[in-house]
């Protein structure tokens, strides 16, 4: 357990609505990541952060935005959810630098109808 | 574009068998190759990892074999147990970055 919580754990929403997922860590680590997991694709990086207000895009960032105003919280926002964003979303942290092992949270299952 | 290809997609073995999961990568600029284990409803957890200057690494019943020239690496699970039933992901990290590129995953079932 790397002190990572994700909320909500499950969410069902409708196409076109905004959705925000929260990742909270208790250990003040600098590096945080958002992934999505889909069958046949493994995990794919959406966005990552290397500090407060410092974020960058991953390989599947279209349709997603992130914010990090505090070290402990990394928010993922779907501005207008689409059915293709139905997925399981995982947050991860690196305890040391960016090259250190990534530890994952429990995930959020999002269904967009 | 997927740069790490993992096979097989699923695998069933008997208890005590040695399942082997293979991964191949397309980019030579990777400096770290971890394997993650994931149980249903849980996040992935690091199982074992290797760097490209090493050809093999063992931790308990888990072994990574790495072939740099072939750009392939594999996970072997010795004396597999029903408790090893899980989904396994290989990954590769582009040099000097914190990003991970994952394979598609392998669902392993170990029958009693």
């Amino acid at each position: 357990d790397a002190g990572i919580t994700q909320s909500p754990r499950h969410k069902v929403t409708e196409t076109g609505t905004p959705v925000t997922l929260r990742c909270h860590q208790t250990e003040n680590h600098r590096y945080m990541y958002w992934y999505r997991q889909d069958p046949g694709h493994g995990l794919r990086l959406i966005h990552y952060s290397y500090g407060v207000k410092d974020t960058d895009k991953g390989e599947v960032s279209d349709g997603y935005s992130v914010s990090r105003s505090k070290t402990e919280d990394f928010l993922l926002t779907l501005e207008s959810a689409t059915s293709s964003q139905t997925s399981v979303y995982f947050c991860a942290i690196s305890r040391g630098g960016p090259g250190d092992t990534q530890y994952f949270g429990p995930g959020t299952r999002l269904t967009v109808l | 574009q997927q740069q790490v290809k993992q096979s097989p997609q699923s695998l069933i073995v008997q208890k005590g068998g040695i399942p082997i999961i293979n991964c191949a990568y397309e980019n030579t600029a990777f400096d770290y190759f971890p394997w993650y284990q994931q149980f249903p409803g849980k996040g992935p957890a690091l199982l074992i990892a290797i760097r490209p200057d090493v050809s093999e690494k063992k931790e308990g019943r888990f072994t990574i074999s790495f072939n740099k020239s072939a750009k392939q690496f594999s996970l072997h699970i010795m004396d597999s147990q029903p408790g090893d039933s899980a989904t396994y992901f290989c990954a590769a990290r582009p040099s000097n970055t914190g990003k991970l590129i994952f394979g598609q995953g392998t669902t392993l079932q170990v029958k009693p």
Side-chain angles (χ1 to χ4, degrees):
Chain A
D1 183 0
I4 304 170
T5 57
Q6 293 185 233
S7 59
R9 295 292 314 278
H10 301 271
K11 185 172 182 65
V12 179
T13 191
E14 293 188 352
T15 298
T17 60
V19 176
T20 295
L21 308 182
R22 180 184 184 229
C23 177
H24 178 78
Q25 57 145 328
T26 60
E27 300 178 356
N28 286 323
H29 298 296
R30 183 177 169 191
Y31 295 90
M32 299 184 75
Y33 310 84
W34 275 108
Y35 291 87
R36 60 177 290 174
Q37 182 177 11
D38 304 288
H41 292 277
L43 292 98
R44 292 178 290 175
L45 182 64
I46 305 171
H47 281 281
Y48 62 103
S49 170
Y50 35 95
V52 173
K53 299 190 188 305
D54 286 327
T55 64
D56 207 345
K57 296 179 180 180
E59 62 178 307
V60 290
S61 60
D62 287 349
Y64 301 95
S65 62
V66 291
S67 65
R68 192 162 178 207
S69 59
K70 298 186 292 184
T71 300
E72 59 265 35
D73 289 326
F74 191 29
L75 304 181
L76 177 70
T77 297
L78 291 66
E79 300 291 347
S80 178
T82 67
S83 58
S84 64
Q85 293 176 311
T86 292
S87 186
V88 181
Y89 291 86
F90 287 98
C91 174
I93 60 98
S94 290
R95 282 187 163 145
D100 285 355
T101 299
Q102 291 186 20
Y103 296 87
F104 286 80
T108 293
R109 181 172 295 276
L110 176 67
T111 301
V112 184
L113 301 175
Chain B
Q1 180 180 355
Q2 185 66 267
Q3 293 180 286
V4 178
K5 296 182 179 179
Q6 183 172 346
S7 63
Q9 182 176 352
S10 62
L11 190 55
I12 301 173
V13 300
Q14 293 294 133
K15 177 182 176 181
I18 306 176
I20 301 173
I21 304 170
N22 300 298
C23 285
Y25 61 98
E26 302 173 354
N27 184 332
T28 57
F30 292 133
D31 65 359
Y32 176 70
F33 300 87
W35 284 88
Y36 281 81
Q37 179 187 55
Q38 184 181 31
F39 294 105
K42 304 292 186 182
L46 180 68
L47 186 63
I48 185 173
I50 197 168
R51 298 190 186 274
D53 54 346
V54 177
S55 61
E56 185 176 277
K57 183 174 181 180
K58 291 183 180 181
E59 288 187 3
R61 296 184 292 108
F62 300 92
T63 299
I64 299 178
S65 298
F66 186 83
N67 186 328
K68 189 174 182 178
S69 61
K71 299 179 187 177
Q72 295 176 346
F73 57 111
S74 60
L75 176 70
H76 301 232
I77 305 176
M78 305 301 178
D79 187 27
S80 59
Q81 302 296 314
D84 297 329
S85 297
T87 299
Y88 293 82
F89 293 96
C90 64
R93 186 180 68 199
S95 299
N96 301 315
T97 75
K99 304 176 184 180
L100 287 177
I101 298 173
F102 283 84
Q104 296 90 334
T106 297
T107 300
L108 171 67
Q109 182 183 357
V110 181
K111 291 189 172 182

